[in-house]
Each structure stands twice: as C-alpha cells, then as structure tokens.
Amino acid sequence: YKPIVALEGLKRGLINTRSGVSCTGSYRAGARTFRCWKRHGYVDFYKSIMESCDIFYYQLAQRLGPDNLAQMSRAFGMGERTGIDLPHERRGLVPDTQWKREVLKQPWFGGETLNYGIGQGYLTITPLQGAVMTMGIANRGVMHRPHLVREIRMPDGKLLEAIEPEVIHRYDAPPQHWDAVIEAMVRTVDTGTGRAAQVPGVRVAGKTGSAEFRKGGKTHAWFVAFAPAENPRVAICVMAEEAGGGGAIAAPIAGAWMRYFFELGY
C-alpha cells in the first residue's frame, strides 16, 4: 500500500524524492504512540519504501487525510470487484469519513488516519486487488480486468470467443513520479526488505507487507511485485495468512514463482 501513498504524496506536492523523516521507532500523535517495526534513523523517500518505514507514512497520511486516501485507493481498484471470471469474489472495503459516520455512527479519529496510511485499520483488500494495484504501478496507471481465460475454441479449433483487454481503472501521475516509486520498489528487491524475490538477470520491483490480523497472532505476510521493471510482463501478489513477515515468508514464494516463470522463457 505504501507505494501508492507515496505516489499520491508526490502528486499533491506534499513530498518529493528529497523528503525525509527521522524514525526513532515510534511516533506520537495526540495521546497515542504509534510504532514502527524497527528504528530506521534518517529515512528518505527511497528508503521509506525499501525499508518499509511506518513513520514516514504516518506523517504523510496525516497530511493527505482519510478521504484523499480513500479516493486514491478506489482509483487503484480497491473497494470493488475486479469482475474476474471466477465466482465468490469479495469487494473489500475502502473506508472514509462518510462511511464511518453512516455505518459505525462515529466520527473519524486522527489515529485511524495513521493506520490507514500504512494499509491497516478498516481498509481490507483481496490478494487479487493487490495484484491489480501492482499491475497499475507496472503499467503506470492503467489497470485491465483480470481473466483466467484468454479464448474459447471448439474441438475443431474454431474460435468462439476471444477475451479483449479491458481497462477498468486509471490513475494519472507525472512520469517522474512513476519513475521514483518504481525505482524505490526495484531497490526494495535489490537491497531492501524484498531481497528474497530476486531473479538472476531480471530487474524486479516489489514491496513487502505485514498486515496485523488479530491481537496476539502472527501478521498476514504480503508481497507484491512486477518484472522486468523496465518492460513488465508479469505482476504478482502473494499473501500467506497469519504466516509472519512479508519479507521472510511471502517474498521467497514470489521469488521462486518468478524465477520459474522467467526460466520458462516468458
């Protein structure tokens, strides 16, 4: 989730690639203390994604606000079904201030915005939506409807139906902003939290995630990636339920899959 929050921050002029914060491992907002998963020290734009620093995104989320985060999330396909040719697809939830007033009968609290900025809190997405979001970054803002079937043919080979690409979501941002976020995701795999997803001879862009699920339990392990970074042919999302950290659990799975994909010559 952090790469698209970074994109929105760049687009609105709230940050640039020289922006930085000091991560002491915690951040005070009102009466609450919000933790980072480690003490990073000085964190610039690229390191915020490479090392997945929560403090950077707590502060950026405060400046963006929940309704801008919701608008951005919907632009990347969250909160609605993709329409894939499979049954039982879930919609997920993109919260905003109006939703909380109407559904929970409560105002929006400031601390909820901080959690929102790192993809936590009320936000829920499916792994398929995570893959579509990643496709959107790889395609620099263009997201197509995913399908299992490319075409349907009769036993004699006659074509009955061919599935044509269909754009379902767009997110507009200047080229230099896409460049910055994609470069940060490449560095994530090269030297950051996603090193287990490296593919020899292929530049992989990725992002790890560890989503809290229930108190006292392990986090869901997430990893999204696309490759090759300069001319993407595949986007992937791996989610392992209550398995631990994204870098330790999900990234190696994605790495093994992509190495096999490219070994087959795709």
Side-chain angles (χ1 to χ4, degrees), residues 146-239:
H147 288 279
L148 289 184
V149 176
R150 178 175 291 178
E151 59 184 30
I152 301 170
R153 292 183 178 270
M154 293 287 286
D156 63 3
K158 181 182 178 181
L159 181 67
L160 290 181
E161 182 181 359
I163 305 300
E164 297 296 331
E166 178 188 357
V167 176
I168 55 173
H169 299 289
R170 287 186 183 272
Y171 180 88
D172 295 321
Q176 64 270 26
H177 295 170
W178 293 112
D179 290 343
V181 169
I182 291 170
E183 174 61 25
M185 292 177 70
V186 168
R187 295 185 191 185
T188 298
V189 176
D190 285 349
T191 60
T193 57
R195 290 188 295 275
Q198 293 175 1
V199 177
V202 178
R203 291 179 78 234
V204 177
K207 179 70 186 74
T208 56
S210 301
E212 294 178 5
F213 174 64
R214 59 185 174 87
K215 192 171 183 179
K218 287 187 176 181
T219 57
H220 293 331
W222 288 79
F223 184 75
V224 298
F226 61 89
E230 62 279 4
N231 184 27
R233 297 203 297 274
V234 62
I236 185 171
C237 175
V238 173
M239 194 276 274

Side-chain angles (χ1 to χ4, degrees), residues 86-105:
L86 281 173
H88 313 305
E89 185 182 7
R90 294 296 184 93
R91 185 181 299 275
L93 174 65
V94 173
D96 56 23
T97 54
Q98 180 180 351
W99 167 84
K100 195 178 181 199
R101 283 195 305 269
E102 293 179 353
V103 175
L104 300 185
K105 312 301 181 187

Side-chain angles (χ1 to χ4, degrees), residues 92-96 99-100 104 106-109 112-113 115-116 119-125:
L93 174 65
V94 173
D96 56 23
W99 167 84
K100 195 178 181 199
L104 300 185
Q106 294 177 348
W108 190 274
F109 300 116
E112 293 168 338
T113 304
N115 285 329
Y116 203 164
Q120 298 273 166
Y122 299 115
L123 178 73
T124 59
I125 74 166

Side-chain angles (χ1 to χ4, degrees), residues 23-66:
C23 172
T24 61
S26 64
Y27 179 68
R28 190 81 172 173
R32 291 186 58 190
T33 298
F34 293 80
R35 304 290 180 183
C36 191
W37 66 278
K38 67 178 284 188
R39 182 172 179 165
H40 290 100
Y42 180 75
V43 176
D44 66 8
F45 173 86
Y46 295 102
K47 189 177 178 181
S48 77
I49 292 176
M50 290 168 57
E51 297 295 333
S52 199
C53 176
D54 293 337
I55 306 302
F56 189 98
Y57 292 94
Y58 289 153
Q59 295 187 30
L60 179 54
Q62 281 184 306
R63 300 173 72 186
L64 284 168

